[in-house]
């Protein structure tokens, strides 16, 4: 995530606007409080949040699988599509469960949307071949779905969604069923794909690393509301509230002369000092950093992530530095 605009809008992509869109279930429970949201043409917006916060509901409102409560409006390039059903919105969808047709082979699945739209046979075949190549599925057109790996199945699902050249691509936790290695590889492939297509995309995940890697912007969701929307850097360095701060990384809560603030463990430094206010409780090697758990005389804990060089050992006394200042002399620390 570079912070700079990453891709030109493709010819097919649309700008999406939600105005006053909420969703209340029969019985009165609220999945989504009324919200406004603008997604630029060609942008990838990630909806990030814990299970049950309303991500899928928001995605389904955009897709046309769900209608907003009275008063809510959905616009594609300024056109009111609130009453348009999904088949008339030209959206492509990809789900965690793949939702492939088991009775069709790979080519049959990828060509499905083309047949539904009445694309001529020869043109549909060309497009399917193009998609097989694009998704590195060459030679697998005749393969049965159950004979594919999880990663291949998700590539087929992506190819099927993209084949009819949708104006919007909606992805609901597409990688959640895959193991960590494959997830990272496919994440990179999806990122490259979204860049090259320039398509407007909304990508749902509960995984903050995935959100950081993919999104132009991230909308952090909490209990049916968007708590914050911005770049990964915005959310990480300037979280709007404790929920966002905690969801996109670890934090310590520090009382500084300027008031209380949240400080990431990697922004603290340690210096061995017999008069230091903290004692090392535990030092855990995590690979890129060592996570050091510290405690002061009052029992307050801090976590610091430091380079794996000359790390103080459990029992040693240290001074904790934040932006070059010692916490003990300038400020008191308190646990998050
Ligand atoms: N069809 C439905 N009827 C009633 N409640 C639902 C329905 N679908 C989802 N919910 C509830 O709405 C809330 C938001 O769900 P959802 O949008 O699926 O969250 P997420 O995708 O973030 O996990 C949850 O509390 C969920 O249980
Ligand atoms: Mg969901």
């Amino acid at each position: 995530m570079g912070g700079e605009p990453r891709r030109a809008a493709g010819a097919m992509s649309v700008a999406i606007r939600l105005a006053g869109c909420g969703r209340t279930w029969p019985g009165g429970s609220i999945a989504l409080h009324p919200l406004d949201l603008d997604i630029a043409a060609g942008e990838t917006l990630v909806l990030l949040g814990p299970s049950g916060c309303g991500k899928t509901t928001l995605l389904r409102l955009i897709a046309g699988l769900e209608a907003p409560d009275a008063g809510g409006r959905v616009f594609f390039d300024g056109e009111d599509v609130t009453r348009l059903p999904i088949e008339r919105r030209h959206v492509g969808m990809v789900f965690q469960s793949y939702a492939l047709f088991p009775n069709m082979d790979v080519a049959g699945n990828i060509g499905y949307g083309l047949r539904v739209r009445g694309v001529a046979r020869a043109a549909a075949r060309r497009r399917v071949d193009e998609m097989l190549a694009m998704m590195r599925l060459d030679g697998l057109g005749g393969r049965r779905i159950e004979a594919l790996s999880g990663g291949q199945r998700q590539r087929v699902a992506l190819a099927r969604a993209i084949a009819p050249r949708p104006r919007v691509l909606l992805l609901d936790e597409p990688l959640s069923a895959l193991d960590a290695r494959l997830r990272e590889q496919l994440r990179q492939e999806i990122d490259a794909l979204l860049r090259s297509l320039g398509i407007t995309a909304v990508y749902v995940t509960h995984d903050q690393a995935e959100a950081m890697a993919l999104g132009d912007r991230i909308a952090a969701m909490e209990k049916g509301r968007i708590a914050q929307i911005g770049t990964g850097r915005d959310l990480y360095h300037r979280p709007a509230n404790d929920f966002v701060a905690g969801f996109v990384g670890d934090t310590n809560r520090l009382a500084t002369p300027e008031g209380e603030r949240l400080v990431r463990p990697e922004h603290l430094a340690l210096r061995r000092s017999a008069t230091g206010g903290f004692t090392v409780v535990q030092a855990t090697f995590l690979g890129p950093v060592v996570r050091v758990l510290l405690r002061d005389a009052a029992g307050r804990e801090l976590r610091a992530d430091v380079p794996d060089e000359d790390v103080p050992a459990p029992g040693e006394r240290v001074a904790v530095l934040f932006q070059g200042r010692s916490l003990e002399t300038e400020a008191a620390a308190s646990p998050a």
Side-chain angles (χ1 to χ4, degrees):
M1 150 130 248
E4 69 279 7
R6 304 191 314 175
R7 51 180 83 92
M12 298 297 293
S13 64
V14 296
I16 299 169
R17 162 165 291 178
L18 305 188
C21 281
R23 181 70 177 121
T24 308
W25 301 118
S29 79
I30 296 174
L32 216 55
H33 296 271
L35 58 81
D36 300 327
L37 176 63
D38 273 294
I39 308 169
E43 179 179 24
T44 297
L45 178 73
V46 175
L47 305 180
L48 172 69
S51 176
C53 71
K55 306 182 296 295
T56 294
T57 302
L58 182 48
L59 201 72
R60 289 169 60 87
L61 283 176
I62 297 171
L65 288 167
E66 204 78 66
D69 293 340
R73 288 274 173 274
V74 181
F75 300 91
F76 282 8
D77 273 348
E79 179 201 350
D80 188 337
V81 299
T82 314
R83 309 241 162 268
L84 277 193
I86 181 163
E87 60 273 16
R88 295 186 54 202
R89 290 195 191 185
H90 297 290
V91 299
M93 292 198 78
V94 181
F95 306 94
Q96 173 182 344
S97 59
Y98 320 126
L100 296 171
F101 307 117
N103 56 325
M104 296 177 199
D105 61 14
V106 167
N109 268 276
I110 296 176
Y112 176 78
L114 303 170
R115 286 197 299 283
V116 167
R117 284 168 180 75
V119 174
R121 252 183 127 87
R125 268 186 85 132
R126 273 199 306 278
R127 183 64 176 156
V128 168
D129 286 343
E130 213 173 285
M131 297 313 303
L132 286 169
M134 185 192 285
M135 297 313 297
R136 302 195 295 110
L137 293 164
D138 316 70
L140 294 180
R143 184 75 70 87
R144 283 172 305 122
I145 297 303
E146 70 239 37
L148 298 177
S149 70
Q152 287 170 331
R153 286 177 203 210
Q154 201 48 293
R155 284 205 190 86
V156 174
L158 272 162
R160 182 181 61 180
I162 292 165
R165 303 181 199 278
R167 302 191 291 173
V168 178
L169 191 60
L170 304 173
L171 307 104
D172 196 351
E173 313 223 19
L175 305 182
S176 298
L178 305 173
D179 62 60
R181 226 7 214 289
L182 195 54
R183 211 156 59 220
E184 182 165 348
Q185 187 195 331
L186 253 166
R187 186 181 82 198
Q188 286 163 1
E189 287 179 27
I190 290 176
D191 186 48
L193 187 70
L194 295 177
R195 282 170 190 258
S196 69
L197 293 174
I199 192 170
T200 312
V202 184
Y203 187 108
V204 166
T205 183
H206 61 265
D207 180 326
Q208 63 101 0
E210 212 168 286
M212 296 276 179
L214 273 168
D216 289 316
R217 285 188 306 161
I218 299 169
M221 294 186 64
E222 177 187 17
K223 295 184 188 145
R225 300 177 202 274
I226 294 178
Q228 185 173 7
I229 185 162
T231 65
R233 282 193 174 84
D234 291 336
L235 270 59
Y236 194 80
H237 293 305
R238 291 172 295 280
N241 61 28
D242 288 8
F243 169 80
V244 176
F247 204 77
V248 299
D250 261 318
T251 57
N252 295 294
R253 191 185 296 278
L254 299 186
T256 70
E258 295 82 38
E260 187 181 77
R261 55 174 298 177
L262 299 170
V263 176
R264 302 277 179 207
E266 69 271 27
H267 296 149
L268 295 175
L270 305 179
R271 192 178 59 210
R272 279 197 185 78
S273 160
T275 57
F278 288 86
T279 304
V280 175
V281 177
Q282 196 178 59
T284 310
F285 177 68
L286 298 178
V289 294
V290 177
R291 164 64 57 97
V292 182
L293 179 64
L294 304 148
R295 199 171 286 149
D296 72 2
R300 291 174 296 200
E301 292 188 344
L302 281 182
R303 287 155 296 167
D305 287 346
V306 300
D308 187 23
E309 294 154 18
D310 192 26
V311 179
E316 286 195 80
R317 291 284 285 265
V318 295
V320 179
L321 307 170
F322 174 57
Q323 295 177 342
R325 299 186 313 200
S326 166
L327 293 182
E328 293 83 352
T329 53
E330 303 265 346
S334 65

